[in-house]
Amino acid sequence: MCLGAPGFVVAIVLLLTVKEPKRGLSESLAHQTHTKITAASHQQQEQQQTAEHLEESQQILGGAVSNTDDADEVDEPAANPATANHNLLVRLYFLLHLPAFVVHCIIAAVRNVGGYALGAWMQVFLVRVHGLQPSEYTGWLMAIVPIGGGLGAAIGGWCSDRWVQRDVRGRVWMIAVSQLVAAPCITGFFVIRNGYGMYAFLFFAYVFAEMWYGPAAAIVQDLMPPSIRGLATAVYFIVVSLGALAPLLVGGLNELWDIRAPYSDDDHSDVLDPTYSLLLVVTGSYLVSGFGFAWASFLFPSHKQHLQSLLT
């Protein structure tokens, strides 16, 4: 609570001093970086040309819009399900009919399973399997988790921003590669009994594993039009947060396999070994999400067509 209290103060200061950017403000920059490399850009240009021809035809026939209010209505029709005029259920229906978005949310939730399981059971693993005391491993974890995770997050964001300039699927490919590399690293942490080697594997596991978080959230913004990005982001994080159930899954597998740990903790003399449960849940999460993100990338080229079909 003491650590979280300053966050409330910062939140109030931001609320009073920072204005929310206007929706669509960065669309022109995104348009410049993406339209040159996507086939959908050609369709958009053709649609714009068609709209111009229709407008010219309407002017010739005397059907031009007579005032600016009518022109605003033409820019975004009321029938558009992504506008704020529609209720929540209509907009959720719109989101759930976008395959790329739905698959992306599900795979991200699978990836988050590994993160929650590792965070909840890592210290228990070190005590029960390696016989370490908190004073022996706390310093290592204080260095490995923030440095390795922070470095991975920064590298992941930097790489994804550059990869996506070459390929619209660059972000998701970067996530897929990083998770597949992280899988053998976290496996080494679970199976190696040498202290320094174990910590080295854990460090690189955090570097590669944490490359996913920022780019995965950015993908949601890339997939959605400005008028529905807030709701799409909320749905994304709700689905991803289901990974918080992972510690219960690890505990259930421990009970199922009933393997006794080499060392006991302070509370119990006879405890269960979480090694194989963590191997299955954490390493499995990285592998499944890695291949899952790679598969999801094949849905991205057709996403704009699905989006356009729902908007018309």
Side-chain angles (χ1 to χ4, degrees):
M1 182 176 180
C2 294
L3 294 176
F8 290 101
V9 178
V10 174
I12 294 173
V13 173
L14 289 175
L15 180 64
L16 297 176
T17 60
V18 178
K19 294 183 179 180
E20 182 179 358
K22 294 182 179 179
R23 289 181 176 180
L25 188 63
S26 61
E27 292 306 296
S28 59
L29 178 60
H31 178 77
Q32 294 175 2
T33 57
H34 291 291
T35 53
K36 294 182 180 180
I37 58 175
T38 62
S41 64
H42 298 290
Q43 297 178 359
Q44 183 178 2
Q45 291 174 0
E46 291 175 359
Q47 292 172 358
Q48 290 176 350
Q49 293 175 357
T50 302
E52 291 175 358
H53 291 314
L54 289 174
E55 184 178 355
E56 291 176 358
S57 300
Q58 290 176 354
Q59 290 176 354
I60 294 173
L61 296 173
V65 179
S66 59
N67 54 57
T68 57
D69 292 337
D70 293 337
D72 292 338
E73 292 177 1
V74 172
D75 289 339
E76 191 168 17
N80 187 344
T83 61
N85 295 331
H86 289 269
N87 60 41
L88 178 62
L89 293 179
V90 173
R91 303 178 81 189
L92 287 174
Y93 176 87
F94 173 81
L95 290 176
L96 295 178
H97 281 73
L98 294 172
F101 174 73
V102 173
V103 172
H104 178 69
C105 291
I106 294 173
I107 300 301
V110 172
R111 165 56 187 86
N112 220 24
V113 166
Y116 274 106
L118 182 63
W121 284 91
M122 180 166 51
Q123 298 181 48
V124 177
F125 169 80
L126 293 173
V127 172
R128 295 184 182 180
V129 178
H130 292 273
L132 300 176
Q133 297 301 315
S135 59
E136 297 177 281
Y137 63 74
T138 300
W140 286 98
L141 298 186
M142 287 179 61
I144 290 173
V145 174
I147 295 177
L151 186 62
I155 294 175
W158 185 84
C159 291
S160 69
D161 284 343
R162 278 148 185 79
W163 201 340
V164 79
Q165 294 177 7
R166 302 178 182 179
D167 191 328
V168 68
R169 300 170 293 180
R171 295 192 201 279
V172 72
W173 275 113
M174 194 284 305
I175 299 174
V177 171
S178 66
Q179 300 314 298
L180 293 176
V181 175
C185 294
I186 198 63
T187 301
F189 169 70
F190 290 136
V191 301
I192 288 181
R193 295 296 179 259
N194 175 273
Y196 294 109
M198 172 185 66
Y199 290 129
F201 272 105
L202 181 63
F203 174 79
F204 286 107
Y206 263 96
V207 170
F208 288 104
E210 296 307 314
M211 288 184 180
W212 82 284
Y213 199 80
I219 288 173
V220 177
Q221 307 299 307
D222 293 340
L223 292 175
M224 295 298 158
S227 58
I228 202 170
R229 284 176 181 169
L231 179 61
T233 303
V235 172
Y236 166 78
F237 281 113
I238 289 173
V239 176
V240 169
S241 65
L242 296 177
L245 300 175
L248 297 177
L249 176 60
V250 175
L253 291 173
N254 291 341
E255 295 286 345
L256 178 64
W257 289 334
D258 195 24
I259 301 174
R260 300 299 159 181
Y263 301 92
S264 62
D265 52 30
D266 296 334
D267 299 329
H268 304 86
S269 58
D270 190 15
V271 294
L272 300 176
D273 188 344
T275 301
Y276 296 102
S277 301
L278 289 171
L279 276 171
L280 178 63
V281 175
V282 180
T283 306
S285 168
Y286 292 174
L287 288 174
V288 172
S289 63
F291 287 113
F293 279 119
W295 171 65
S297 68
F298 293 101
L299 300 174
F300 280 46
S302 61
H303 171 73
K304 287 191 175 182
Q305 296 178 358
H306 287 288
L307 189 63
Q308 187 64 31
S309 65
L310 290 173
L311 292 175
T312 56

